[in-house]
Amino acid sequence: MNLNITSYSTALFSTWINIEELHLLFDAGDGVTAGLLQKSGKIKYVFITHPDRDHITGLFQLHQLNARKGLPKIYYPKDSGSFPAIKDFLHKFDTHIQGTEWHPIKHLDTIEIRNDLFVEAIRNEHVAVPQEVSKSLSFKLYQTKQKLKKEFSHLNGNSIKEMIGLHGRDHLMETIHTNILSYAGDTPVDDYNKWDHSKILIHESTFLQDQENAIIKSPKERNKHSKLNEVLEMVSNITIDRLILHHFSSRYSKEEIDTNVIKLCKYYHIKVPVHVIYPGKIHRDILNSPPLYG
């Protein structure tokens, strides 16, 4: 599947990722509508990883410009009280705007966005809470296809039709779920198996050096983030087709990021194309742009 992905991501300031042909937005940081302009009106599904302000403040303008009957549908971690508060505020602030749907979701919930596509929510470790609590989520996009079972692959078209008539389609066909894209959100590297066999992995790399403390501190929270070396070590041990790195700290220049990504890709023998979303810059149609590495 050829996806047109546009994104902006700078740690602490704003993150949003738009997949145009799927009418899909992951996170809604500041400037999402300004970055997409009229294309923001195509968004139908918004999946928010967690309520840090750099991931949610774009909701206010997106809601004001594009809310209509039943759209957009906003999905958020069910145990975060921030989203009901935002919903109530927007209904009072934009009294003339109606239509947006707000849906709380938890770990392993699935949401169909097309008859052959669904998004699965996965709990991550950005926020230190008990396992049963959903305050920060990652998302995996799956494509569903029906495939002829191997034992029937020798049959011709007429024989297949006859078998379906006798035994039903389910007897001959199996359902294949392909993880076409994974979006880790804000999270430290933990379980490699989460992302194994993702076609496209979008993973944060807030910090470049291992010796740095992978925590962004604020008055109320100390949430965990990833280090570049840990992300690339993980990628070297799983099977993916393409990697998009984002959410770098604004303390780093493009040259510093490039140098570290290339050095570590070589060190870990990365075999897949690696794209980089640099701080302070909107990246358009990422997959059709030359990768930094690979």
Side-chain angles (χ1 to χ4, degrees):
M1 180 178 291
N2 187 28
L3 300 176
N4 185 341
I5 300 175
T6 297
S7 177
Y8 178 95
S9 184
T10 305
L12 201 62
F13 292 95
S14 177
T15 288
W16 51 267
I17 296 172
N18 182 63
I19 305 177
E20 183 176 339
E21 49 272 275
L22 302 185
H23 313 289
L24 178 61
L25 183 71
F26 289 118
D27 283 328
D30 189 35
V32 59
T33 49
L36 295 174
L37 298 177
Q38 288 85 351
K39 289 184 177 181
S40 67
K42 298 180 180 180
I43 295 169
K44 296 180 180 179
Y45 308 97
V46 182
F47 290 86
I48 306 295
T49 56
H50 63 292
D52 286 355
R53 294 186 185 188
D54 55 325
H55 294 256
I56 62 172
T57 53
L59 283 174
F60 296 84
Q61 183 74 333
L62 183 70
H63 174 269
Q64 190 270 332
L65 288 177
N66 298 312
R68 61 268 197 203
K69 187 176 180 181
L71 293 171
K73 301 179 189 296
I74 300 173
Y75 299 90
Y76 62 89
K78 77 173 187 65
D79 295 314
S80 173
S82 300
F83 294 96
I86 293 171
K87 175 185 176 182
D88 290 344
F89 170 78
L90 288 176
H91 277 278
K92 294 175 182 177
F93 191 75
D94 291 321
T95 56
H96 61 294
I97 304 295
Q98 301 293 328
T100 305
E101 293 185 4
W102 298 75
H103 299 279
I105 56 175
K106 63 184 185 303
H107 178 58
L108 298 183
D109 279 354
T110 59
I111 298 90
E112 184 179 283
I113 63 169
R114 207 170 72 184
N115 59 4
D116 64 334
L117 294 171
F118 68 89
V119 173
E120 180 182 43
I122 303 291
R123 184 188 182 279
N124 66 41
E125 301 299 323
H126 181 55
V127 182
V129 291
Q131 288 290 324
E132 66 275 11
V133 176
S134 294
K135 281 202 169 185
S136 183
L137 298 171
S138 305
F139 299 109
K140 301 175 77 172
L141 175 66
Y142 285 91
Q143 185 172 37
T144 301
K145 289 185 178 181
Q146 293 289 310
K147 182 180 178 181
L148 189 68
K149 293 178 181 178
K150 190 174 181 179
E151 59 265 36
F152 301 114
S153 60
H154 64 284
L155 297 178
N156 60 33
N158 289 331
S159 298
I160 290 173
K161 289 179 181 179
E162 184 178 342
M163 289 285 285
I164 290 175
L166 290 171
H167 304 287
R169 177 173 290 273
D170 290 345
H171 179 70
L172 279 81
M173 309 297 288
E174 60 181 339
T175 301
I176 304 296
H177 299 308
T178 302
N179 180 197
I180 61 175
L181 183 143
S182 294
Y183 173 52
D186 284 9
T187 182
V189 173
D190 54 359
D191 181 7
Y192 290 11
N193 291 325
K194 280 184 181 179
W195 316 123
D196 200 11
H197 300 292
S198 301
K199 295 293 184 182
I200 301 165
L201 173 60
I202 304 175
H203 204 288
E204 69 125 304
S205 299
T206 303
F207 299 98
L208 294 183
Q209 282 81 36
D210 185 53
Q211 65 268 27
E212 294 190 71
N213 185 7
I215 295 176
I216 288 183
K217 296 181 179 179
S218 70
K220 295 184 179 179
E221 59 189 17
R222 290 172 174 82
N223 292 341
K224 296 180 181 179
H225 289 270
S226 292
K227 306 168 190 176
L228 176 63
N229 63 299
E230 293 175 341
V231 175
L232 292 174
E233 181 178 10
M234 175 187 68
V235 169
S236 72
N237 285 280
I238 62 176
T239 300
I240 64 172
D241 288 356
R242 192 172 296 217
L243 174 66
I244 299 174
L245 297 169
H246 75 133
H247 203 270
F248 288 95
S249 170
S250 60
R251 74 184 71 176
Y252 304 122
S253 67
K254 178 182 183 297
E255 291 72 25
E256 287 178 290
I257 293 170
D258 286 354
T259 297
N260 280 270
V261 170
I262 292 170
K263 178 180 72 175
L264 288 168
C265 282
K266 291 178 179 177
Y267 179 81
Y268 288 111
H269 305 290
I270 301 301
K271 304 296 185 184
V272 300
V274 179
H275 299 263
V276 173
I277 298 173
Y278 299 104
K281 180 181 178 181
I282 295 177
H283 294 255
R284 303 185 189 277
D285 200 7
I286 295 165
L287 298 182
N288 286 320
S289 302
L292 172 63
Y293 181 87

